[in-house]
Amino acid sequence: MKNYYTKKTIQRFLEPKYFGEMKDATGVGEVGNPRCGDRMKVYIKIKNGKIVDASFQTLGCAAAIATSDVICEMIIGKTTKEALSITEKEMIEKLEKLPLVKVHCSSLAIEGLKKAIENYEKKED
Amino acid sequence: MKKNKQKIYLDYASTTPAGESVVSAMIPLLQKDFGNPSSLHALGQDALYAIDEARRKVAEFLGAKESEIIFTSSATEADNIALSGVLQKEKKAHVITSVIEHKAVLEPLNSSSAEVTYLPVNKEGVVKVEDVLKEIRENTVLVSIMYANSEIGTIQPIKEIGAAVKRINENRKKKIVFHTDAVQAVNYLPCKVNDLNVDLLTISGHKIYGPKGVGALFIRQGIEISPIFYGAKQERGVRPGTENTAAIVGLSQAVEDLQKNMTEKTEKLRDRIIDTILSEIPQTRLNGSRERRLPNNINISFKGVEGESLLIALDQKGIAVSTGSACASRSLLPSYVLLAIGLSHEEAHGSLRVTLGRMTTEKEVDYFLEQLPLIVERLRKISGK
């Protein structure tokens, strides 16, 4: 049986570990994909310069949900600078691959993270 | 792959499996009766006879003459031949169609030099007969309105439009040609061309439990259709190319097998699904008219859920459905049909299409209705909406 998505993508989509609102987040970023209409919110908690927790809320396709989950997992334990250096390619590798038309979903996650970090930094100033 | 994975196909508007009698009818034409219908020897003449028989069956179903039926490679080709075939010799022609037509109608019109009026539909997804009449001009040569919509299942007043156009034609020197794409209607709605007063009508093989790669076009006697490509004189030269004998015979068998008694059973299952979803899952809406609707079509939008994720989650449970969400299209654009009936991008984003078929059982519907609310709830938790 051929599947549109890889097993890893389906697994992430069916059982994401990092979804949900974070009440005590120190940074929140909300982005919308103007092309397909997906919406994503990224919550981060930063302590001593490091991201200690992350979560997301995503209204979007299976790829958008899976990449949201991937980015949360990847940024926990990283400094904001390290987190911002994560590329689409690195995220997609975690899912093995994405259909070509879905690659833009991973950039939505990166945009969401950027906004969350900006939001945190604004509060710090 | 999981063991005992259920396979529940609820996407019959996309395509249908070929019936057993269809497959049995096709096989001889691929093997022992492989002759070319243009050959004069017995093998060829047997193939020609098979096509003649197929034409007779399709003509009978449509209440047409055998000479009024041509076979094509698909409904898309039949639509293209119908539209471009009428427009090719016309200069400064005007055409009336609707915004919710299939791409096989919209695209040939978009690329033609004709002036095209795209009629809107109301919130129910229905074209008004008065709107068609209002737009008729001196240079109007063609009206093309689909019989039933594939996405939202709404049934258009074809008979009424046909009668109105016929009346208008009585006082016109240059007659207006009326085409309907009846691909989605054939399974459930009456298709006698003289009752509908249509001049051109398109049908497809694979939507009616026939094979893919074959369609048919009814061309009323006296309507002039130019070919859109050229070759020998098969199908009266309107559609040249050696006939796909097996598929043509398969299509005619599918037409013969159309089950008249399916409508009521299918409607009951449809109504059960619509009622259950609308009453048990909050923040849902039915897309398209409830009354003027194909017996097998359900199209519902779920707030706070995206349709592609819903489709993928259902697929993981062995249930095959469809969606009008931008995320599921190659163009990343939401369904133009859903936007045309007034849905916001967000509402189209959360749409799900379920289409029932001949094999759909009460049990399959039970399972679908059991899984759906759980998936919607989970996806709403993830979206936080």
Side-chain angles (χ1 to χ4, degrees), chain B residues 23-306:
Chain B
V23 176
S24 315
M26 289 175 71
I27 288 172
L29 290 134
L30 294 165
Q31 295 176 321
K32 64 179 180 60
D33 302 331
F34 65 91
N36 186 328
S38 296
S39 300
L40 295 185
H41 48 65
L43 201 58
Q45 291 303 296
D46 283 349
L48 180 63
Y49 177 76
I51 290 184
D52 285 346
E53 269 300 286
R55 205 183 307 279
R56 187 186 59 72
K57 287 178 188 172
V58 173
E60 190 186 317
F61 171 70
L62 296 175
K65 298 184 188 111
E66 285 158 45
S67 59
E68 293 176 318
I69 306 298
I70 66 155
F71 293 110
T72 65
S73 73
S74 61
T76 290
E77 190 183 75
D79 283 342
N80 271 268
I81 292 173
L83 305 173
S84 305
V86 168
L87 293 174
Q88 241 177 83
K89 285 187 181 158
E90 300 288 345
K91 281 189 186 121
K92 293 188 175 164
H94 172 243
V95 182
I96 301 170
T97 190
S98 85
V99 289
I100 64 164
E101 296 301 308
H102 193 273
K103 291 283 181 192
V105 165
L106 294 176
E107 291 302 323
L109 291 179
N110 284 345
S111 67
S112 81
S113 60
E115 220 181 312
V116 184
T117 299
Y118 298 92
L119 295 176
V121 289
N122 62 16
K123 277 192 179 334
E124 303 268 280
V126 181
V127 175
K128 278 197 196 139
V129 184
E130 310 90 85
D131 286 353
V132 178
L133 301 184
K134 254 189 265 164
E135 293 297 336
I136 289 178
R137 308 177 195 167
E138 213 171 302
N139 62 337
T140 304
V141 297
L142 180 65
V143 173
S144 179
I145 306 284
M146 69 195 338
Y147 200 165
N149 185 272
S150 62
E151 289 186 52
I152 53 175
T154 50
I155 299 166
Q156 303 303 337
I158 294 306
K159 194 175 171 169
E160 292 77 4
I161 297 170
V165 170
K166 192 180 178 184
R167 264 198 316 277
I168 286 172
N169 274 342
E170 281 165 12
N171 302 315
R172 275 172 79 103
K173 207 170 141 210
K174 175 90 184 158
K175 310 286 185 212
I176 300 165
V177 175
F178 181 32
H179 167 250
T180 190
D181 179 325
V183 166
Q184 294 290 340
V186 173
N187 277 318
Y188 302 103
L189 304 177
C191 284
K192 296 283 187 239
V193 290
N194 292 333
D195 292 340
L196 297 176
N197 281 309
V198 294
D199 301 311
L200 302 166
L201 180 143
T202 300
I203 72 172
S204 166
H206 75 107
K207 308 285 191 188
I208 59 169
Y209 308 89
K212 293 175 182 62
V214 66
L217 178 65
F218 157 75
I219 305 172
R220 187 175 291 284
Q221 196 174 328
I223 304 285
E224 246 186 86
I225 295 285
S226 315
I228 55 173
F229 55 86
Y230 297 88
K233 289 291 169 209
Q234 292 95 345
E235 299 302 298
R236 294 192 284 124
V238 177
R239 201 282 175 185
T242 296
E243 299 88 341
N244 186 353
T245 49
I248 289 169
V249 167
L251 167 66
S252 73
Q253 184 64 47
V255 166
E256 205 177 16
D257 291 349
L258 283 168
Q259 292 166 2
K260 294 282 170 287
N261 53 353
M262 283 303 293
T263 301
E264 205 177 318
K265 179 203 147 198
T266 312
E267 261 172 357
K268 265 190 189 158
L269 288 174
R270 174 199 67 187
D271 290 342
R272 188 179 149 216
I273 293 175
I274 293 175
D275 292 337
T276 307
I277 294 176
L278 294 183
S279 68
E280 290 181 13
I281 305 181
Q283 306 206 72
T284 46
R285 60 161 283 174
L286 178 70
N287 300 321
S289 167
R290 176 96 203 217
E291 290 77 32
R292 295 189 67 91
R293 189 177 199 98
L294 284 176
N296 74 328
N297 177 291
I298 297 120
N299 191 315
I300 287 180
S301 285
F302 299 81
K303 199 160 188 262
V305 178
E306 186 283 318

